[in-house]
């Protein structure tokens, strides 16, 4: 299993940015897919997650209404649409995947990408 993020970069406050995460080698028919972030000196924070078997989603309070998680029809690419980002959203963003015996609220994931940096100024 491999997860590869892309799409990070610099964005101005109030702008938009879309992150992608390609999931390859997934042996299951569904998954919990999530986006996490970690800023320097801070603990890792779960941002949002989606269950691909039923399309249920979870958002942290800090991003609800501004960020949107989605997948492509093949469910091999995970997206994070970031609208109206704020400087507090600056962090390394990671995508993660968990086999389908999962629940949206869980924090522990088995598979992780290498991360993509997002800087909001």
């Amino acid at each position: 299993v491999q997860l590869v993020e892309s799409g990070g970069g610099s964005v101005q406050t109030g702008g938009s940015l879309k992150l992608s995460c390609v999931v390859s080698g997934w042996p299951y028919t569904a998954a919990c897919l999530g986006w996490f972030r970690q800023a320097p000196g801070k603990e890792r924070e779960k941002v949002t997650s989606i269950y691909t078997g039923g399309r249920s989603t979870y958002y942290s309070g800090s991003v609800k209404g501004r960020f949107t998680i989605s997948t492509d029809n093949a469910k091999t690419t995970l997206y994070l649409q970031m609208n109206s980002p704020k400087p507090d959203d600056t962090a390394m963003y990671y995508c993660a995947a968990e086999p389908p015996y999962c629940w949206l609220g869980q924090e522990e994931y088995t598979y992780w990408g290498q991360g993509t940096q997002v800087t909001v100024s």
Side-chain angles (χ1 to χ4, degrees):
V1 176
Q2 188 175 23
L3 287 74
V4 179
E5 303 98 334
S6 63
S10 296
V11 61
Q12 291 189 337
T13 300
S16 64
L17 196 67
K18 189 171 186 177
L19 307 184
S20 299
C21 172
V22 176
V23 183
S24 59
W26 191 250
Y28 306 97
T29 57
C32 286
L33 301 177
W35 287 99
F36 292 75
R37 66 187 182 187
Q38 187 166 22
K42 294 187 178 181
E43 293 187 354
R44 186 182 69 194
E45 175 191 10
K46 184 175 181 181
V47 177
T48 178
S49 59
I50 185 169
Y51 178 63
T52 64
R55 312 302 291 182
S56 300
T57 57
Y58 159 86
Y59 292 93
S60 71
S62 61
V63 306
K64 195 170 186 178
R66 299 187 297 121
F67 292 6
T68 303
I69 190 171
S70 63
T71 67
D72 65 351
N73 288 335
K75 301 177 184 177
T76 58
T77 303
L78 178 70
Y79 301 104
L80 180 65
Q81 178 67 47
M82 305 172 62
N83 293 335
S84 301
K86 306 173 183 178
D88 284 349
D89 296 320
T90 295
M92 184 71 79
Y93 282 72
Y94 300 89
C95 64
E98 182 68 13
Y101 304 108
C102 58
W103 58 290
L104 284 178
Q106 71 182 71
E107 298 280 337
E108 296 299 322
Y109 278 61
T110 302
Y111 303 98
W112 292 83
Q114 83 289 349
T116 187
Q117 177 68 38
V118 172
T119 302
V120 185
S121 60

